[in-house]
């Protein structure tokens, strides 16, 4: 539905799926977490950052419980949550999540993995919003070297 531009209908369907799963399934099931992430992504794209943030936080808790605090899926959620926090102007909180995501990815995937480059870019963009250009440049340079 989202691909067809039917965001309102997609949101209703995600809401219905989440409510049904709360009643019928373990909230830590893969489908529940997946639906939370899909809805959070849609809300983020539409600029509903408060609602997206709440869903990302729920999904993060679920992923940490299911996979452990240092799993690559947790790192992806941390990056997404950091983006929302940055958009809301919570730069310090966003930085904590971005740095944690980077750390997880470096350990789990190795220092030259493309996902590490993604985390470096995310953190660099955050630093630019804080006028920390020299730090951002170092991170961008490192990300470019990974992608070469």
């Amino acid at each position: 539905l989202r691909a067809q531009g039917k965001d309102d209908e997609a949101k209703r369907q995600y809401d219905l799926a989440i409510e049904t799963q709360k009643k019928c399934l373990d909230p830590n099931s893969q489908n529940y977490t997946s639906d939370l992430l899909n809805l959070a992504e849609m809300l983020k794209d539409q600029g509903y950052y408060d609602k997206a943030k709440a869903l990302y936080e729920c999904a993060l808790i679920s992923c940490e419980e299911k996979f452990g605090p240092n799993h690559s899926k947790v790192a992806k959620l941390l990056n997404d949550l950091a983006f929302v926090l940055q958009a809301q102007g919570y730069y310090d909180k966003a930085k904590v999540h971005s740095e944690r995501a980077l750390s997880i990815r470096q350990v789990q995937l190795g220092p030259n993995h493309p996902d590490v480059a993604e985390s470096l870019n995310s953190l660099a963009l955050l630093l630019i919003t804080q006028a920390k250009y020299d730090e951002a440049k170092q991170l961008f340079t490192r990300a470019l070297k990974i992608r070469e």
Side-chain angles (χ1 to χ4, degrees):
L1 293 171
R2 283 193 71 200
Q4 297 171 358
K6 298 178 182 177
D7 287 350
D8 290 340
E9 180 61 22
K11 183 183 181 313
R12 280 192 290 278
Q13 293 297 324
Y14 284 135
D15 285 338
L16 178 62
I18 289 167
E19 287 306 312
T20 302
Q21 289 177 45
K22 280 182 184 176
K23 294 175 187 172
C24 301
L25 297 175
D26 174 4
N28 293 318
S29 75
Q30 181 64 38
N31 289 339
Y32 179 75
T33 304
S34 178
D35 286 340
L36 284 175
L37 291 173
N38 288 334
L39 181 55
E41 185 73 22
M42 187 181 80
L43 292 169
K44 179 184 79 170
D45 290 347
Q46 293 177 333
Y48 297 112
Y49 297 124
D50 285 337
K51 292 178 181 179
K53 178 179 169 272
L55 293 173
Y56 278 129
E57 288 171 341
C58 287
L60 178 61
I61 290 167
S62 177
C63 266
E64 286 178 326
E65 289 174 356
K66 187 169 188 166
F67 301 109
N70 296 314
H71 194 276
S72 59
K73 289 183 181 189
V74 170
K76 169 75 171 102
L77 273 167
L78 288 166
N79 260 357
D80 291 340
L81 182 55
F83 176 89
V84 170
L85 290 166
Q86 178 181 342
Q88 293 179 301
Y90 299 117
Y91 302 122
D92 291 338
K93 290 180 182 180
K95 187 176 180 191
V96 169
H97 290 308
S98 288
E99 288 174 338
R100 183 173 165 217
L102 175 60
S103 177
I104 291 169
R105 285 178 164 173
Q106 288 179 131
V107 170
Q108 295 298 319
L109 305 172
N112 296 314
H113 192 277
D115 288 352
V116 171
E118 177 189 344
S119 286
L120 289 166
N121 275 328
S122 296
L123 185 53
L125 290 169
L126 174 62
L127 292 170
I128 286 174
T129 64
Q130 298 175 301
K132 296 179 181 179
Y133 303 114
D134 291 337
E135 290 176 62
K137 182 180 177 183
Q138 291 173 1
L139 296 177
F140 280 136
T141 300
R142 191 167 153 219
L144 281 171
K145 287 181 183 176
I146 291 171
R147 292 187 174 165
E148 288 179 341

